Amino acid sequence: MVVTIKDVARLAGVSVSSVSRTLASPESVRPGTRERVLRAAAEVGYSPNAAARALTTGRTYNVGLVVPDLANPFFPTVVKAIQSRAREFDYSVLLVDTDEDPSAEVELIRKLVKQVDGFLLCGPRAADEDLRSFIGETPVVTVNRRVGPIPSVICDHTDGVRQAVGHLAALGHRAIAYVGGPRASAVNRERARGLRSMCTSMGIELVDLGNAAPNFDGGAAAADLVLAAPVTAVLAYNDLQALGLVSRFKERGASVPEQISVVGFDDIPLAGQVSPRLTTIAQRGDLLGRAAVDLLLDLLQDRVGAGGPRRVMPTQLIVRGSTGPAAA
Amino acid sequence: MVVTIKDVARLAGVSVSSVSRTLASPESVRPGTRERVLRAAAEVGYSPNAAARALTTGRTYNVGLVVPDLANPFFPTVVKAIQSRAREFDYSVLLVDTDEDPSAEVELIRKLVKQVDGFLLCGPRAADEDLRSFIGETPVVTVNRRVGPIPSVICDHTDGVRQAVGHLAALGHRAIAYVGGPRASAVNRERARGLRSMCTSMGIELVDLGNAAPNFDGGAAAADLVLAAPVTAVLAYNDLQALGLVSRFKERGASVPEQISVVGFDDIPLAGQVSPRLTTIAQRGDLLGRAAVDLLLDLLQDRVGAGGPRRVMPTQLIVRGSTGPAAA
DNA sequence: CAAGATTCTGAAACCGATTCCTGACTGAGG
DNA sequence: CCTCAGTCAGGAATCGGTTTCAGAATCTTG
């Protein structure tokens, strides 16, 4: 049988109120009582029923975590960090994978709204107005996306792009291509925008190759477009794409970085392990996840964190073997 | 304000019981009433409070999902499948990543036990007796591990090993090495055991290189051991290790598969995309996850599935470029 | 059309906690 | 020794649903 607070109360010879109080704020109860209650609780192995607690307090101690695609190695890093940080505060994580589907995303959030105290939306794909519709209803923190007044934790992608373009320019590249990610991805839009303005200001020609799937095959498919374009370097939306590019370049006999330089995004674990090792713009998924949890928890406590409702994390260009001087 | 069942009842001009009934079993209520209730519910945008429901029914509609390490690309596949299958039945997934720590695993399960209807334990690392201690307390399904009478969904790793050894033997290999995974991994034990018996019966010499970390670096570290051993082929505990092996072999100037053949395990997405493409023993994480959810849900309905409390999924050797005829 | 069978509906108990409110007890001070 | 303030503990209401039970409404049937 399940043991409830009543069992503990009976065993300790006190009322349920006293048990509840003892567990919630031990100092509000006399030492003798406290002693007996704790002993009784330990004896029967009592642990409170989360549903009952949620019902009275209105707090579930759950957070909803929404990711577009767990198969993208960047997200597990974030999810791990979120899960572990949330646990520290006794919060559990309800995970939802939307498979890059904006409408599924909205629907799933709707369904979960009563089961969680708030949401962490990683790279949400839904439209701004849909996301905005949740404000007021439930606390939300977006990760790597900025939507109006919604608190967010983002990486400074613009700065990352700046570093990458600077790096390529220094290597003598005068024309570079960009392989885009999902149209619905805010990160993609921000990178593309940053890239345009950066290239313009540095006098570098930018060839936009449109949107490709944010995975290995998407990159491989785009590789031939790159080779057909008058460029000596290519930036990919993420590392998986970059790996796909490199792989297809090899097949086509285009050597990296001698003939073409490749820059990825994210610095997934494998990026530094393949050959050639991938030059990439790193974002620290673990820091991102941790900061997102902290921000959401601040929100839940009604203390808007000292850092305000948005936090920006640095990005860093990691130069490895996939970039080199521009081909003549 | 939040809308409750009372608001719906008032608006529809019926009692809360009728609203509850209408939503739970529409056929038990007169069409006219049903009509009004549904209209009212839609109008105010009612959705039931999960905590309240859990309190009365004793069912949370949550399942606990425990994985050792989400960063291992095999697990996201499983998690995605589990999440999506669970959603079909309106179950939510509480995700826990134990970071390969057996004691954390037990502790986390304990903490979640009141919040879920049951657990899915993917490749649990805890000791048999610890896992057994949960039986009776809460429904549990283990994935890729068999513990006494606990219902489980596993891949036929022994058969996978059989296929791999047969493949290598046919290629003329007479001595092979095995790079092990985590000591706490049941899959590792099963593979090692199957490997031993298979090699014995086929007259192939097996060199056990002990346990390595189940990731790229673990494989890279083991590569030198492999080269120092009198073998012409190596089986790794998983694909990440295999990739690490290949990478380090390249650095050492040992060509794959000419000088040494490499076989991985799992068939993670990248396995078919690197060069040389990895020969590997595939296990379908998606099928595994889906079957695990179905089994757990059967358990929760007290109908032990037609397939009984254990289900075995096939494994399949995928022959690609990393294996070839044994070096002379 | 009345009586009995059947179908629907509403009132109320209940799930397991939290928390407000009140009364009992304690100790201090006069 | 009595009063009063302050501390501590218990009773009861409450959260938002589900479900049992009994009575009301409807339908059959003779």
Side-chain angles (χ1 to χ4, degrees):
Chain A
M1 290 311 304
V2 294
V3 354
T4 77
I5 200 172
K6 280 186 197 161
D7 302 316
V8 178
R10 197 176 318 123
L11 184 59
V14 300
S15 72
V16 294
S17 342
S18 295
V19 177
S20 177
R21 251 188 310 259
T22 305
L23 269 22
S25 45
E27 74 285 358
S28 74
V29 94
R30 218 186 323 182
T33 317
R34 189 189 314 157
E35 190 80 353
R36 268 180 303 153
V37 168
L38 294 179
R39 199 193 313 282
E43 185 173 334
V44 297
Y46 170 74
S47 85
N49 178 314
R53 173 174 290 173
L55 188 55
T56 38
T57 62
R59 308 202 52 175
T60 62
Y61 279 87
N62 287 153
V63 304
L65 172 54
V66 181
V67 299
D69 180 16
L70 207 55
N72 178 340
F74 172 68
F75 289 112
T77 312
V78 182
V79 172
K80 273 180 84 99
I82 287 176
Q83 199 274 138
S84 122
R85 185 64 171 168
R87 264 264 81 85
E88 286 181 37
F89 298 97
D90 279 321
Y91 272 80
S92 301
V93 171
L94 278 171
L95 179 74
V96 173
D97 183 307
T98 66
D99 260 324
E100 301 272 356
D101 180 346
S103 62
E105 190 172 283
V106 177
E107 193 185 331
L108 289 169
I109 295 176
R110 274 260 107 81
K111 278 200 175 176
L112 278 185
V113 94
K114 286 276 186 55
Q115 297 183 54
V116 302
D117 292 342
F119 283 96
L120 295 171
L121 308 182
C122 289
R125 307 303 198 213
D128 276 27
E129 58 264 33
D130 285 329
L131 293 177
R132 245 193 293 260
S133 75
F134 295 114
I135 310 183
E137 243 185 293
T138 183
V140 172
V141 168
T142 56
V143 176
N144 261 347
R145 171 155 171 191
R146 197 171 267 174
V147 179
I150 300 181
S152 59
V153 179
I154 59 166
C155 276
D156 191 345
H157 299 293
T158 306
D159 184 62
V161 168
R162 188 191 54 71
Q163 295 178 51
V165 174
H167 168 65
L168 292 174
L171 287 170
H173 296 272
R174 305 260 66 94
I176 65 182
Y178 177 61
V179 177
R183 220 176 287 274
S185 159
V187 170
N188 180 51
R189 288 194 295 269
E190 190 177 336
R191 285 175 188 168
R193 183 156 16 90
L195 201 48
R196 268 193 302 276
S197 78
M198 195 57 56
C199 286
T200 307
S201 75
M202 297 193 68
I204 285 181
E205 193 187 344
L206 176 66
V207 178
D208 189 333
L209 295 178
N211 304 86
N215 51 38
F216 188 94
D217 291 327
D224 297 310
L225 303 183
V226 175
L227 291 181
V231 300
T232 56
V234 54
L235 251 88
Y237 165 70
N238 68 15
D239 285 343
L240 287 179
Q241 274 188 355
L243 294 177
L245 285 168
V246 170
S247 162
R248 178 65 182 161
F249 287 156
K250 271 191 199 159
E251 285 177 21
R252 289 283 307 275
S255 64
V256 176
E258 289 76 12
Q259 287 179 255
I260 183 128
S261 288
V262 177
V263 177
F265 239 112
D266 296 348
D267 195 27
I268 61 174
L270 234 66
Q273 300 172 330
V274 293
S275 136
R277 296 168 69 232
L278 199 60
T279 293
T280 189
I281 300 155
Q283 51 175 334
R284 291 284 302 275
D286 53 343
L287 298 183
L288 217 47
R290 190 187 161 102
V293 171
D294 289 347
L295 183 50
L296 182 58
L297 261 42
D298 281 356
L299 248 50
L300 293 180
Q301 319 261 311
D302 271 334
R303 50 173 161 80
V304 183
R310 12 192 85 136
R311 295 180 193 173
V312 177
M313 318 297 284
T315 54
Q316 188 188 356
L317 178 71
I318 313 279
V319 175
R320 300 203 184 97
S322 69
T323 49
Chain B
M1 289 312 303
V2 294
V3 353
T4 76
I5 201 172
K6 281 186 198 161
D7 301 317
V8 178
R10 196 176 320 122
L11 184 59
V14 299
S15 71
V16 293
S17 339
S18 294
V19 177
S20 176
R21 253 187 309 257
T22 305
L23 268 24
S25 44
E27 73 285 358
S28 74
V29 95
R30 219 187 323 184
T33 316
R34 188 189 314 159
E35 190 80 354
R36 270 180 301 152
V37 169
L38 293 178
R39 198 192 314 283
E43 185 173 333
V44 297
Y46 170 74
S47 83
N49 178 315
R53 173 173 290 173
L55 188 55
T56 37
T57 62
R59 307 200 54 176
T60 61
Y61 279 87
N62 287 153
V63 302
L65 172 54
V66 180
V67 298
D69 181 17
L70 207 55
N72 178 341
F74 172 66
F75 289 112
T77 311
V78 182
V79 172
K80 273 180 83 98
I82 287 176
Q83 199 274 139
S84 121
R85 184 63 170 169
R87 263 264 80 86
E88 286 182 36
F89 298 97
D90 278 321
Y91 272 80
S92 300
V93 172
L94 279 170
L95 179 73
V96 172
D97 183 307
T98 66
D99 260 325
E100 301 271 358
D101 180 346
S103 61
E105 189 171 284
V106 176
E107 194 185 329
L108 290 169
I109 296 177
R110 274 260 107 80
K111 278 199 176 176
L112 279 186
V113 95
K114 285 275 186 57
Q115 298 185 54
V116 301
D117 292 343
F119 283 95
L120 294 171
L121 308 182
C122 289
R125 306 304 199 215
D128 277 26
E129 58 264 33
D130 285 328
L131 294 177
R132 246 193 292 260
S133 75
F134 294 115
I135 311 183
E137 245 186 290
T138 184
V140 171
V141 169
T142 56
V143 176
N144 262 347
R145 172 157 171 190
R146 197 169 267 175
V147 179
I150 299 180
S152 59
V153 179
I154 60 167
C155 277
D156 191 345
H157 298 293
T158 306
D159 184 60
V161 168
R162 188 189 57 70
Q163 295 177 52
V165 174
H167 169 64
L168 292 175
L171 287 170
H173 296 272
R174 304 262 67 94
I176 65 183
Y178 178 61
V179 177
R183 218 178 287 276
S185 158
V187 170
N188 181 51
R189 288 195 296 269
E190 188 177 338
R191 285 175 189 168
R193 185 156 16 90
L195 202 49
R196 267 195 303 276
S197 77
M198 195 57 56
C199 286
T200 306
S201 74
M202 297 193 68
I204 285 180
E205 194 186 344
L206 176 67
V207 178
D208 189 334
L209 294 177
N211 305 86
N215 52 37
F216 188 95
D217 291 328
D224 297 310
L225 303 182
V226 175
L227 292 182
V231 300
T232 54
V234 55
L235 251 89
Y237 165 71
N238 69 14
D239 284 343
L240 287 179
Q241 274 189 355
L243 294 177
L245 283 167
V246 169
S247 162
R248 178 64 182 162
F249 287 155
K250 271 190 198 160
E251 284 178 23
R252 289 284 307 275
S255 63
V256 175
E258 290 75 11
Q259 287 178 257
I260 184 132
S261 288
V262 176
V263 178
F265 239 113
D266 295 349
D267 195 28
I268 61 174
L270 233 67
Q273 302 172 327
V274 293
S275 131
R277 296 167 68 231
L278 199 60
T279 293
T280 189
I281 300 155
Q283 52 174 334
R284 292 284 301 276
D286 53 344
L287 298 183
L288 218 46
R290 190 188 161 99
V293 171
D294 290 347
L295 183 51
L296 182 59
L297 262 42
D298 281 356
L299 247 51
L300 293 180
Q301 318 260 312
D302 271 335
R303 52 174 160 81
V304 182
R310 12 192 87 136
R311 295 180 193 173
V312 178
M313 318 295 284
T315 54
Q316 188 188 358
L317 179 71
I318 313 279
V319 176
R320 300 203 184 95
S322 69
T323 48

